[in-house]
Amino acid sequence: MVDSISTRLGGLAYGGDYNPEQWPRQVQEEDVALMRAAGVNLVSLGVFAWARLEPAPGRYEFGWLDEIIDRLHAAGIAVDLGTPTAAPPPWFSRAYPHTLPVNREGVRIGVGGRQNACPSSPEYRAATAGIARALAEHYRDHPAVVLWHVHNEYGAPLGECYCEASVAAFRAWLRAIYGDLDALNEAWGADFWSQRYGDWDEIDVPRANHTAVNPAQRLDFARFTSDEHLACFTLQRDILRASTPHTPVTTNFMTANCKSMDLWRWAPEVDVVSNDHYLTAERPDNHIELALSADLSRSLAGGAPWLLMEHSTGAVNWQPRNLAKRPGELRRNSLAHVARGSDSVLFFQWRASRYGAEKFHSAMLPQAGTDSQLWRDVVELGAQLRELAPVRGSRVAAEVAVVWDWESFWALELEWRPSVDLRFRERVDAYYEALWREHATVDFVHPAADLSAYRLVVAPSAYLLGEVAAKNLCRYVESGGHLLVSYFSGIVDEHETVHPGAYPGALREVLGLSIEEFHPLREGETVELGDGSRGAVWSERVRPAGAVPVVDFAAGPDAGHPAVTRHDLGRGTAWYVATAVDRLRPLLARALDTAGVRRPHGLPDDLEYVRRGDVVFLINHGDTEVVVSEPSGTDLLDGSVWPGAVTIPPGGVRAIR
Ligand code: GLA
């Protein structure tokens, strides 16, 4: 479906969130002229304009928006039209005060911010359906509208609600899942701490407590929360589809940065995957986290092109220290998203606001106006993206997959784990970074997905693994796949119940080992391994049962016992790593080579190398010039021809075809 947009645009989409309701008409007219100068061809409109579009219940005022859309259309700029439901107007909250969300501590959120309605509230859902229907009917035939942008970042900043409507909806959700209370009591391990339920109305949402709350209850509440927001989305989507069946519908995900939505369940429900990504400004190698987010977006899209819906031209305004981008960083960031499958480069936002909570956020048009380096960079980027039109629609191939499962993420980070240092993102990021530096392109996968396309599958933190997923991983190895698993994986099933027998119950067979005892390490403590590397966070007593030791712990509670093992099973191999190894790259290189993963060798480890279709993107994140011997061809960005080796200047980007 992305194709339908980029075909209509004739190339990659360029633009961003546009909030003309904050500006007088004269500025709006200037906006359109400047958008043309920058090469903008798509803007997201109306995302936070509910109070203007429906100033009183059922009274719709679309005239002002008609004028803006017509003006954009006349200038050849297409519209991604928002449904404004992420910020209900004050009249709504006043009429229905009980729709204001309640947080886990029991505090009811007030007006003045956004995301201020409970997703389970029938009144809220009805109001969102009303405005979505009115917009769909009014704009159904407008040629400028090429995409629907439902809501904004479902589940952020917080998805959960603990109000009375949520309690009722949670009970209904549980009834639909479990059917009867015996099944629920069993799934929740309700005999622990006398929690056996005799009536559905005894069940509550897992509010703040003075002790740990039943982990199965919390896990189901996390699933419920994701499902409730998804129901809000599909309600609007179906209304939009009924009026405009040929206009794709998206909602902007934060693929790697929103823990609260299970996006594997969401992705099939959108016509186009779109993503918002913001750098962690103070992290020096934040371009690696960017790559992870882009790869996860592409994976959610099933490998199809996706849309970068938001990122920033410079600083954001919500981190502790909001660093501006360094020279060239805007270009590198934007092109890295394109390299990894995005058919757009869109920003929050077009013009920097003068008021409101986000006035210190960067924009395509900064407070300094057009006489600024940032504006010149924005204009130049627009021109560069026109040169990249040939990559639109093409795909990125990956031979390595990293397992990513939101349910496991949620479960691992509940209360009372063996160590507070067991963090999902920490392990995923560590492995992803090593793979990035090894120039291995990565897809993300759900553990129960079809893995047959991959030579190597890495499971950095697969704490929760159901039976289906566990069998899937085992079958994958038996039929010739290579699997690498990190510690504290395969421990519990989907109800947070430990798999029977020794750890890791779900993976004993495929890994050819069991674990007798966990030995979490102290904060900052490390233990030496036999190959001179060091392990942190975790140590455990591994007992091989078919697996062979590759590296032993040389010190610490498990000295003399395996820290890394290898198990040849069927036609494949399964590796296990029992600690947070400081030197992951040699280990991964070995697994990559054993699996026969093809990747370029001998490149500097801060050169990003990604092939999309027949174009190789080379992004130099270092401060010295890099020469690579392959590929040869023409740089789409500046037309330079590289028949033998390609030179990439410090901080530079080439797109060689
Ligand atoms: C999010 C939101 C935008 C804006 C930006 C600021 O991604 O979707 O509305 O608040 O953050 O970075």
Side-chain angles (χ1 to χ4, degrees), residues 277-303:
H277 181 264
Y278 293 96
L279 297 174
T280 305
E282 290 183 71
R283 182 176 153 178
D285 58 358
N286 51 20
H287 51 273
I288 299 181
E289 203 274 327
L290 179 156
L292 183 156
S293 172
D295 287 347
L296 182 54
S297 305
R298 183 185 67 252
S299 305
L300 287 161

mmCIF file of all heavy atoms in Angstrom, residues 277-303:
data_model
loop_
_atom_site.group_PDB
_atom_site.id
_atom_site.type_symbol
_atom_site.label_atom_id
_atom_site.label_comp_id
_atom_site.label_asym_id
_atom_site.label_seq_id
_atom_site.Cartn_x
_atom_site.Cartn_y
_atom_site.Cartn_z
ATOM 1 N N HIS A 277 10.599 8.120 15.016
ATOM 2 C CA HIS A 277 11.843 7.812 15.720
ATOM 3 C C HIS A 277 12.593 9.070 16.124
ATOM 4 O O HIS A 277 12.804 9.969 15.311
ATOM 5 C CB HIS A 277 12.785 6.943 14.870
ATOM 6 C CG HIS A 277 14.037 6.639 15.634
ATOM 7 N ND1 HIS A 277 15.187 7.375 15.490
ATOM 8 C CD2 HIS A 277 14.268 5.737 16.617
ATOM 9 C CE1 HIS A 277 16.082 6.923 16.349
ATOM 10 N NE2 HIS A 277 15.554 5.934 17.037
ATOM 11 N N TYR A 278 13.014 9.103 17.357
ATOM 12 C CA TYR A 278 13.828 10.220 17.854
ATOM 13 C C TYR A 278 15.094 9.673 18.481
ATOM 14 O O TYR A 278 15.048 8.687 19.226
ATOM 15 C CB TYR A 278 13.017 11.054 18.861
ATOM 16 C CG TYR A 278 11.878 11.761 18.164
ATOM 17 C CD1 TYR A 278 10.600 11.214 18.135
ATOM 18 C CD2 TYR A 278 12.122 12.935 17.462
ATOM 19 C CE1 TYR A 278 9.578 11.842 17.429
ATOM 20 C CE2 TYR A 278 11.102 13.566 16.755
ATOM 21 C CZ TYR A 278 9.834 13.017 16.744
ATOM 22 O OH TYR A 278 8.840 13.634 16.041
ATOM 23 N N LEU A 279 16.202 10.300 18.152
ATOM 24 C CA LEU A 279 17.485 9.871 18.704
ATOM 25 C C LEU A 279 17.524 10.095 20.210
ATOM 26 O O LEU A 279 16.941 11.051 20.710
ATOM 27 C CB LEU A 279 18.618 10.699 18.090
ATOM 28 C CG LEU A 279 18.856 10.587 16.595
ATOM 29 C CD1 LEU A 279 19.923 11.594 16.183
ATOM 30 C CD2 LEU A 279 19.290 9.170 16.229
ATOM 31 N N THR A 280 18.251 9.243 20.892
ATOM 32 C CA THR A 280 18.627 9.539 22.269
ATOM 33 C C THR A 280 19.837 10.457 22.143
ATOM 34 O O THR A 280 20.948 10.021 21.825
ATOM 35 C CB THR A 280 18.986 8.242 23.010
ATOM 36 O OG1 THR A 280 17.876 7.362 22.890
ATOM 37 C CG2 THR A 280 19.295 8.498 24.473
ATOM 38 N N ALA A 281 19.590 11.756 22.355
ATOM 39 C CA ALA A 281 20.555 12.762 21.913
ATOM 40 C C ALA A 281 21.945 12.563 22.510
ATOM 41 O O ALA A 281 22.955 12.768 21.836
ATOM 42 C CB ALA A 281 20.034 14.152 22.246
ATOM 43 N N GLU A 282 22.002 12.143 23.751
ATOM 44 C CA GLU A 282 23.317 12.094 24.396
ATOM 45 C C GLU A 282 24.073 10.801 24.124
ATOM 46 O O GLU A 282 25.223 10.671 24.528
ATOM 47 C CB GLU A 282 23.165 12.319 25.905
ATOM 48 C CG GLU A 282 22.766 13.762 26.217
ATOM 49 C CD GLU A 282 22.687 14.037 27.709
ATOM 50 O OE1 GLU A 282 23.734 14.092 28.354
ATOM 51 O OE2 GLU A 282 21.557 14.189 28.219
ATOM 52 N N ARG A 283 23.446 9.826 23.502
ATOM 53 C CA ARG A 283 24.153 8.578 23.213
ATOM 54 C C ARG A 283 25.031 8.790 21.977
ATOM 55 O O ARG A 283 24.533 9.104 20.895
ATOM 56 C CB ARG A 283 23.123 7.468 22.966
ATOM 57 C CG ARG A 283 23.752 6.128 22.710
ATOM 58 C CD ARG A 283 22.718 5.014 22.566
ATOM 59 N NE ARG A 283 23.295 3.960 21.715
ATOM 60 C CZ ARG A 283 22.704 2.829 21.412
ATOM 61 N NH1 ARG A 283 21.512 2.567 21.873
ATOM 62 N NH2 ARG A 283 23.299 1.944 20.631
ATOM 63 N N PRO A 284 26.344 8.630 22.108
ATOM 64 C CA PRO A 284 27.234 8.957 20.987
ATOM 65 C C PRO A 284 26.954 8.118 19.729
ATOM 66 O O PRO A 284 27.035 8.632 18.622
ATOM 67 C CB PRO A 284 28.633 8.663 21.530
ATOM 68 C CG PRO A 284 28.490 8.495 23.003
ATOM 69 C CD PRO A 284 27.063 8.162 23.295
ATOM 70 N N ASP A 285 26.625 6.841 19.894
ATOM 71 C CA ASP A 285 26.376 6.014 18.704
ATOM 72 C C ASP A 285 24.868 5.816 18.503
ATOM 73 O O ASP A 285 24.406 4.723 18.175
ATOM 74 C CB ASP A 285 27.100 4.667 18.815
ATOM 75 C CG ASP A 285 26.660 3.904 20.056
ATOM 76 O OD1 ASP A 285 25.834 4.446 20.827
ATOM 77 O OD2 ASP A 285 27.125 2.767 20.254
ATOM 78 N N ASN A 286 24.119 6.898 18.659
ATOM 79 C CA ASN A 286 22.656 6.754 18.582
ATOM 80 C C ASN A 286 22.163 6.377 17.182
ATOM 81 O O ASN A 286 21.022 5.979 17.013
ATOM 82 C CB ASN A 286 21.943 8.018 19.107
ATOM 83 C CG ASN A 286 22.458 9.283 18.480
ATOM 84 O OD1 ASN A 286 23.063 9.231 17.412
ATOM 85 N ND2 ASN A 286 22.224 10.413 19.123
ATOM 86 N N HIS A 287 23.043 6.476 16.188
ATOM 87 C CA HIS A 287 22.632 6.031 14.851
ATOM 88 C C HIS A 287 22.400 4.517 14.817
ATOM 89 O O HIS A 287 21.733 4.017 13.918
ATOM 90 C CB HIS A 287 23.679 6.438 13.809
ATOM 91 C CG HIS A 287 25.066 6.037 14.180
ATOM 92 N ND1 HIS A 287 25.888 6.823 14.950
ATOM 93 C CD2 HIS A 287 25.771 4.922 13.908
ATOM 94 C CE1 HIS A 287 27.050 6.209 15.129
ATOM 95 N NE2 HIS A 287 26.998 5.052 14.506
ATOM 96 N N ILE A 288 22.961 3.798 15.790
ATOM 97 C CA ILE A 288 22.725 2.344 15.820
ATOM 98 C C ILE A 288 21.320 2.067 16.351
ATOM 99 O O ILE A 288 20.598 1.219 15.825
ATOM 100 C CB ILE A 288 23.813 1.626 16.648
ATOM 101 C CG1 ILE A 288 25.180 1.883 16.003
ATOM 102 C CG2 ILE A 288 23.513 0.131 16.740
ATOM 103 C CD1 ILE A 288 26.343 1.217 16.700
ATOM 104 N N GLU A 289 20.911 2.830 17.325
ATOM 105 C CA GLU A 289 19.543 2.686 17.835
ATOM 106 C C GLU A 289 18.540 3.106 16.750
ATOM 107 O O GLU A 289 17.465 2.523 16.622
ATOM 108 C CB GLU A 289 19.395 3.519 19.115
ATOM 109 C CG GLU A 289 18.278 3.069 20.029
ATOM 110 C CD GLU A 289 16.943 3.675 19.663
ATOM 111 O OE1 GLU A 289 16.914 4.836 19.188
ATOM 112 O OE2 GLU A 289 15.925 3.006 19.830
ATOM 113 N N LEU A 290 18.915 4.095 15.960
ATOM 114 C CA LEU A 290 18.064 4.497 14.830
ATOM 115 C C LEU A 290 17.902 3.320 13.859
ATOM 116 O O LEU A 290 16.788 3.009 13.414
ATOM 117 C CB LEU A 290 18.692 5.699 14.114
ATOM 118 C CG LEU A 290 17.978 6.275 12.888
ATOM 119 C CD1 LEU A 290 18.395 7.735 12.697
ATOM 120 C CD2 LEU A 290 18.232 5.524 11.589
ATOM 121 N N ALA A 291 19.016 2.664 13.558
ATOM 122 C CA ALA A 291 18.969 1.543 12.613
ATOM 123 C C ALA A 291 18.066 0.430 13.151
ATOM 124 O O ALA A 291 17.282 -0.179 12.412
ATOM 125 C CB ALA A 291 20.381 1.012 12.363
ATOM 126 N N LEU A 292 18.163 0.197 14.456
ATOM 127 C CA LEU A 292 17.319 -0.835 15.074
ATOM 128 C C LEU A 292 15.841 -0.492 14.878
ATOM 129 O O LEU A 292 15.033 -1.338 14.479
ATOM 130 C CB LEU A 292 17.676 -0.943 16.564
ATOM 131 C CG LEU A 292 16.963 -2.008 17.400
ATOM 132 C CD1 LEU A 292 17.835 -2.370 18.619
ATOM 133 C CD2 LEU A 292 15.601 -1.584 17.886
ATOM 134 N N SER A 293 15.494 0.751 15.140
ATOM 135 C CA SER A 293 14.100 1.167 15.005
ATOM 136 C C SER A 293 13.621 1.018 13.560
ATOM 137 O O SER A 293 12.497 0.560 13.296
ATOM 138 C CB SER A 293 13.978 2.623 15.477
ATOM 139 O OG SER A 293 12.715 3.133 15.194
ATOM 140 N N ALA A 294 14.486 1.370 12.628
ATOM 141 C CA ALA A 294 14.121 1.261 11.210
ATOM 142 C C ALA A 294 13.963 -0.213 10.814
ATOM 143 O O ALA A 294 13.013 -0.582 10.111
ATOM 144 C CB ALA A 294 15.180 1.935 10.347
ATOM 145 N N ASP A 295 14.872 -1.060 11.280
ATOM 146 C CA ASP A 295 14.781 -2.488 10.944
ATOM 147 C C ASP A 295 13.527 -3.119 11.554
ATOM 148 O O ASP A 295 12.890 -3.980 10.938
ATOM 149 C CB ASP A 295 16.028 -3.234 11.442
ATOM 150 C CG ASP A 295 17.258 -2.927 10.595
ATOM 151 O OD1 ASP A 295 17.113 -2.348 9.501
ATOM 152 O OD2 ASP A 295 18.376 -3.277 11.030
ATOM 153 N N LEU A 296 13.197 -2.684 12.752
ATOM 154 C CA LEU A 296 11.986 -3.219 13.381
ATOM 155 C C LEU A 296 10.740 -2.750 12.610
ATOM 156 O O LEU A 296 9.790 -3.513 12.416
ATOM 157 C CB LEU A 296 11.937 -2.785 14.853
ATOM 158 C CG LEU A 296 10.771 -3.295 15.696
ATOM 159 C CD1 LEU A 296 10.643 -4.818 15.661
ATOM 160 C CD2 LEU A 296 10.925 -2.823 17.150
ATOM 161 N N SER A 297 10.767 -1.516 12.132
ATOM 162 C CA SER A 297 9.628 -1.008 11.340
ATOM 163 C C SER A 297 9.462 -1.837 10.072
ATOM 164 O O SER A 297 8.343 -2.244 9.717
ATOM 165 C CB SER A 297 9.859 0.459 10.957
ATOM 166 O OG SER A 297 10.097 1.235 12.107
ATOM 167 N N ARG A 298 10.574 -2.071 9.382
ATOM 168 C CA ARG A 298 10.509 -2.870 8.152
ATOM 169 C C ARG A 298 10.015 -4.284 8.458
ATOM 170 O O ARG A 298 9.224 -4.864 7.701
ATOM 171 C CB ARG A 298 11.899 -2.929 7.504
ATOM 172 C CG ARG A 298 11.923 -3.687 6.183
ATOM 173 C CD ARG A 298 13.337 -3.840 5.631
ATOM 174 N NE ARG A 298 14.159 -4.698 6.449
ATOM 175 C CZ ARG A 298 15.163 -4.285 7.228
ATOM 176 N NH1 ARG A 298 15.497 -3.009 7.265
ATOM 177 N NH2 ARG A 298 15.842 -5.139 7.970
ATOM 178 N N SER A 299 10.464 -4.845 9.565
ATOM 179 C CA SER A 299 10.054 -6.208 9.915
ATOM 180 C C SER A 299 8.565 -6.260 10.209
ATOM 181 O O SER A 299 7.877 -7.203 9.809
ATOM 182 C CB SER A 299 10.857 -6.694 11.125
ATOM 183 O OG SER A 299 12.246 -6.583 10.861
ATOM 184 N N LEU A 300 8.055 -5.246 10.892
ATOM 185 C CA LEU A 300 6.613 -5.200 11.162
ATOM 186 C C LEU A 300 5.834 -5.084 9.859
ATOM 187 O O LEU A 300 4.709 -5.574 9.751
ATOM 188 C CB LEU A 300 6.284 -4.033 12.096
ATOM 189 C CG LEU A 300 6.715 -4.250 13.552
ATOM 190 C CD1 LEU A 300 6.800 -2.931 14.299
ATOM 191 C CD2 LEU A 300 5.753 -5.200 14.272
ATOM 192 N N ALA A 301 6.445 -4.426 8.877
ATOM 193 C CA ALA A 301 5.789 -4.288 7.570
ATOM 194 C C ALA A 301 5.963 -5.557 6.728
ATOM 195 O O ALA A 301 5.601 -5.564 5.551
ATOM 196 C CB ALA A 301 6.360 -3.079 6.836
ATOM 197 N N GLY A 302 6.538 -6.593 7.320
ATOM 198 C CA GLY A 302 6.732 -7.842 6.577
ATOM 199 C C GLY A 302 7.744 -7.682 5.459
ATOM 200 O O GLY A 302 7.704 -8.411 4.463
ATOM 201 N N GLY A 303 8.665 -6.725 5.613
ATOM 202 C CA GLY A 303 9.699 -6.516 4.602
ATOM 203 C C GLY A 303 9.326 -5.476 3.563
ATOM 204 O O GLY A 303 10.167 -5.019 2.793
#
